Amino acid sequence: MLERSELADNALQALHDEDYDVPFNTQSLNHDGLIFMGGRVSESLNGEWTFCVDLLDTGLRQKWFAMLPEAPEDRTEPWDYDPYMGDTVPVPSNWAMLKEKWYFFEGSTWYTRPLDVDEIAETKRTFLRFGAAAYDCKIFLNGEFVGNHYGASTPFCVELTGKLKPGRNWIMACVNNTRTRDRVPMRNTDWFNYGGLYREVSVFQTPKSLIKDFFLYLVPDGTYSKLCAEVTIDGPLIEEAVELNIPSLGIDIAVLLDETGKARIEFAAAPDLWCPETPVLYDVTVTYGEDQVSDRVGFRQIERRGTDIVLNGEPLFLRGISVHEDDAVLGKVTSEADLHRRFDHARELGCNYLRLAHYPHHELAAQLADELGFLLWEEIPVYWAIDFENPATYRDAENQLCELIKRDRNRASVVIWSVGNENPDTDARLEFMKGLADTAKRLDPTRLTSAACLVNHAQNRIEDRLAAHIDVIGLNEYYGWYEEDFEDLAAIGENSDPDRPVVISETGADGVIGEKGPTKGLFSEDYMAEVYTKQIATLRQLAYVKGMSPWILYDFRVERRQNIFQNGYNHKGLIAADKKTKKKAFHILADYYRQIAAGQGNTRKAS
Ligand code: GCB
């Protein structure tokens, strides 16, 4: 904390300092500091936090975070904001959903709450964990800056060990959702720029030596008979090995650590394989000294062979649907009930697969998909014309990818890491996305990579130089909607001869239902249904198309859609924004998926 007079001096100096934020833009909180959470007990810091919006960044300039909590009558200097009183908001939430005057707010906001600590245990380490903060988040503890994170949809941890005091401590987060040219995503997106602490915040303790990272998978060598475990320890190496336990497979082994605290072992095991029809999961624990983590892990092999996507040895068709994290009332906040509704609707459609677009969704999504038996495409927001030439942009994108992979790589349901969406085919973009695809493979040899590519309209072909560097060509095409000439789709089909599987990562049309919708033509429910019928009739002829995830399950909020039918919404949902009312196209897709499922064998390899 600063002394009163220092704060007053600073308030004056700050009027002339436009580099006030530089010391805090450290991006020091990144995937290196992420801690494996399975089975850890944590204390929730959800609930009311004091809150204010701060358009001019006055808080960082004046150092609001350094103000002591005092009664107004005891203060001796005037103040522009008192972090300890005033409006409160619930965490998790998006401020846009809380007050009309905050709806379009973009800029810094301040969240403050106390953290009471009974006593400081010398043998423990303490961490804060943020499920997500959109976008730039600077954390302060008792007036001191403790770290900064970029990226709106991945988790991060902040170590508080040695910084807490017994009794009352104060946590402040400055969360800024300003869109900038160099960020991921950048200024222009087709989804709403929800800001805030919109996922869970918690605090947890560990022993001094802790299991920081744990990755367990079926070795993808086609034998279905070997597992591999990789563990990273953080802190003093107090024992030579970690203990890995999978009781129902009779596995209880010690895995030796190297001098850097890393361990890797391959060992024989014959698990029942995970697949959508039989999503078998195994309870696993890892113990190191006094630290223990656990997980429920499924084992399966996903690969591409020629133009096939092959799960556990059987070719597969991905009957999918795309989804955003969006809710008419809650914004980007996800609840378990909301996720169950989503999977129920996907089940009703006949899906075995979902594309979680366009950024990492809540971690519970993949946990539930593991339990319920859905395959997932997960994605980072390398969207449209991000700043491919800029090394800082690459660093941000790669960090988000690493955070996502470290968070979810024990989830059997996740079969595809997507490194981008509809990006222009330039040299800089190619280098950028090749780098990301390589990073995904380096961190995780057990999944496919993809990206949503575009058609080459000049040649009427599926053509993208990135295709050679990813396993699955995602293809976004809107014949019948943005591209009026529907016949071109069939021509593209004939002109293209991809050497790897194509998944139609998007297709669709807006359909506005109810009194506000037109009865015919663009934006009518009937026209949308017609587009689905024609798309299906054409796409089903293309042997290399191995799946689709039409755009999208629910209508969703977005700033850039403002015609009389849209009113701030993208209406390509098969279900309206109420998440109840199904449009005609829903039933057309469901019929198609039923037909495919009937002709499709079980994807499970006979054991
Ligand atoms: C796309 C984008 C998606 C948009 C969609 C649309 O190609 O990938 O983010 O929402 O089209 O509705 O235009």
Side-chain angles (χ1 to χ4, degrees):
M1 295 278 173
L2 296 183
E3 294 299 322
R4 273 183 186 150
S5 59
E6 288 177 294
L7 272 174
D9 288 349
N10 174 68
L12 263 182
Q13 285 156 16
L15 301 179
H16 306 132
D17 178 10
E18 278 308 296
D19 293 324
Y20 61 93
D21 59 339
V22 172
F24 309 112
N25 290 331
T26 58
Q27 294 175 56
S28 54
L29 308 173
N30 52 46
H31 71 97
D32 281 335
L34 200 58
I35 294 172
F36 185 86
M37 288 306 285
R40 293 196 185 280
V41 177
S42 57
E43 183 192 331
S44 169
L45 299 182
N46 295 347
E48 294 297 314
W49 293 51
T50 51
F51 176 82
C52 102
V53 300
D54 177 20
L55 185 66
L56 304 183
D57 254 356
T58 310
L60 284 178
R61 294 169 190 276
Q62 290 185 353
K63 301 195 189 335
W64 287 348
F65 52 83
M67 280 172 74
L68 287 168
E70 280 180 304
E73 61 272 24
D74 294 335
R75 293 202 185 276
T76 54
E77 302 287 341
W79 63 99
D80 287 332
Y81 175 61
D82 185 333
Y84 308 99
M85 52 184 55
D87 269 330
T88 65
V89 296
V91 169
S93 67
N94 297 111
W95 63 72
M97 297 294 95
L98 300 176
K99 278 193 185 173
E100 210 168 341
K101 66 178 179 181
W102 294 338
Y103 188 72
F104 283 124
F105 179 80
E106 284 190 8
S108 281
T109 59
W110 289 87
Y111 291 76
T112 307
R113 66 155 286 152
L115 174 64
D116 292 325
V117 176
D118 292 341
E119 57 179 314
I120 307 293
E122 292 303 329
T123 55
K124 300 273 187 214
R125 295 168 71 176
T126 306
F127 297 88
L128 281 178
R129 185 181 195 264
F130 291 78
Y135 178 95
D136 167 347
C137 182
K138 304 183 197 314
I139 313 283
F140 302 87
L141 176 76
N142 299 330
E144 302 295 330
F145 173 60
V146 287
N148 165 231
H149 181 261
Y150 272 23
S153 310
T154 41
F156 55 95
C157 298
V158 195
E159 180 149 19
L160 302 185
T161 315
K163 300 188 172 102
L164 289 164
K165 54 184 189 195
R168 180 144 285 198
N169 295 265
W170 289 97
I171 304 168
M172 287 181 77
C174 175
V175 183
N176 184 316
N177 71 331
T178 305
R179 294 159 304 115
T180 66
R181 172 86 179 88
D182 58 344
R183 286 188 181 166
V184 184
M186 44 90 198
R187 287 190 295 229
N188 192 17
T189 61
D190 196 42
W191 68 89
F192 194 87
N193 181 28
Y194 292 112
L197 295 179
Y198 70 96
R199 289 189 192 146
E200 294 72 14
V201 182
S202 58
V203 59
F204 64 96
Q205 289 199 318
T206 70
K208 290 280 181 212
S209 300
L210 64 98
I211 299 157
K212 186 167 172 192
D213 199 24
F214 169 51
F215 181 23
L216 179 66
Y217 56 92
L218 182 76
V219 176
D221 63 0
T223 66
Y224 309 98
S225 64
K226 251 189 277 165
L227 301 184
C228 180
E230 297 177 13
V231 180
T232 305
I233 299 298
D234 191 72
L237 296 184
I238 46 168
E239 285 174 17
E240 282 182 344
V242 296
E243 192 188 315
L244 173 69
N245 219 276
I246 314 178
S248 53
L249 290 177
I251 303 286
D252 183 4
I253 49 177
V255 191
L256 278 184
L257 292 163
D258 67 16
E259 67 285 359
T260 67
K262 287 191 184 299
R264 183 180 188 281
I265 191 170
E266 288 191 7
F267 54 96
D272 283 337
L273 299 182
W274 185 100
C275 68
E277 296 79 9
T278 52
V280 192
L281 299 176
Y282 290 89
D283 285 317
V284 179
T285 56
V286 183
T287 312
Y288 186 68
E290 289 178 5
D291 199 33
Q292 186 168 73
V293 294
S294 59
D295 209 350
R296 280 168 63 68
V297 183
F299 303 105
R300 51 100 192 100
Q301 182 169 326
I302 189 88
E303 64 196 300
R304 86 172 150 94
R305 284 190 207 151
T307 59
D308 274 332
I309 297 174
V310 176
L311 178 66
N312 300 335
E314 298 286 337
L316 174 80
F317 188 89
L318 298 173
R319 307 186 305 272
I321 187 71
S322 295
V323 267
H324 258 303
E325 258 180 349
D326 190 85
D327 187 86
V329 179
L330 295 175
K332 208 169 175 316
V333 177
T334 305
S335 68
E336 193 165 347
D338 189 45
L339 284 172
H340 274 289
R341 172 172 48 196
R342 177 201 286 186
F343 287 121
D344 286 348
H345 278 140
R347 184 83 75 205
E348 227 181 304
L349 263 179
C351 294
N352 59 4
Y353 162 72
L354 287 92
R355 174 185 181 200
L356 306 186
H358 280 300
Y359 38 73
H361 285 213
H362 195 290
E363 54 213 292
L364 200 52
Q367 288 165 17
L368 282 177
D370 264 17
E371 304 273 349
L372 298 170
F374 285 96
L375 300 161
L376 297 179
W377 154 311
E378 294 200 335
E379 178 168 344
I380 52 166
V382 172
Y383 188 85
W384 291 348
I386 67 159
D387 196 358
F388 290 108
E389 314 260 354
N390 187 337
T393 308
Y394 183 81
R395 182 167 61 134
D396 190 358
E398 189 179 56
N399 182 55
Q400 294 186 40
L401 179 68
C402 294
E403 287 174 338
L404 171 63
I405 293 178
K406 286 186 176 176
R407 193 194 73 176
D408 280 1
R409 64 184 166 173
N410 283 349
R411 304 281 69 82
S413 52
V414 179
V415 287
I416 295 176
W417 301 125
S418 170
V419 294
N421 185 79
E422 289 182 358
N423 314 106
D425 192 356
T426 62
D427 291 349
R429 172 265 194 169
L430 186 62
E431 280 311 301
F432 191 107
M433 291 181 64
K434 251 167 49 183
L436 294 176
D438 290 348
T439 296
K441 288 286 183 193
R442 183 169 45 77
L443 285 186
D444 177 7
T446 74
R447 288 178 176 83
L448 306 175
T449 51
S450 189
C453 304
L454 292 168
V455 166
N456 178 336
H457 290 287
Q459 307 282 331
N460 252 359
R461 280 172 62 84
I462 301 173
E463 195 180 80
D464 187 322
R465 287 182 292 161
L466 182 65
H469 306 279
I470 51 181
D471 297 306
V472 173
I473 304 173
L475 185 68
N476 289 1
E477 54 84 5
Y478 282 91
Y479 287 90
W481 187 251
Y482 299 118
E483 291 98 7
E484 325 152 24
D485 209 347
F486 198 85
E487 280 59 47
D488 281 354
L489 183 57
I492 284 162
E494 273 171 34
N495 293 344
S496 306
D497 184 21
D499 63 347
R500 56 201 71 207
V502 172
V503 167
I504 304 297
S505 33
E506 286 178 34
T507 185
D510 282 65
V512 183
I513 53 171
E515 279 164 26
K516 290 190 180 142
T519 50
K520 59 178 193 295
L522 294 177
F523 294 100
S524 70
E525 199 190 347
D526 282 350
Y527 184 75
M528 176 189 185
E530 199 183 313
V531 169
Y532 268 76
T533 305
K534 283 166 126 180
Q535 280 281 348
I536 289 167
T538 309
L539 293 173
R540 70 188 312 166
Q541 312 293 328
L542 305 181
Y544 50 76
V545 171
K546 290 298 154 51
M548 60 195 287
S549 50
W551 197 249
I552 183 168
L553 186 57
Y554 304 115
D555 288 353
F556 60 95
R557 182 180 275 116
V558 56
E559 299 90 331
R560 64 197 277 275
R561 310 280 182 177
Q562 295 296 344
N563 80 29
I564 54 160
F565 301 125
Q566 295 167 321
N567 294 309
Y569 268 82
N570 183 314
H571 285 283
K572 295 193 184 67
L574 292 172
I575 301 177
D578 64 5
K579 298 189 173 167
K580 289 191 190 121
T581 316
K582 297 185 184 106
K583 305 181 194 171
K584 289 179 183 165
F586 182 98
H587 305 288
I588 293 170
L589 188 66
D591 277 351
Y592 174 50
Y593 283 167
R594 252 191 300 277
Q595 290 165 31
I596 303 185
Q600 182 89 30
N602 190 336
T603 55
R604 182 151 190 259
K605 187 182 188 301
S607 46

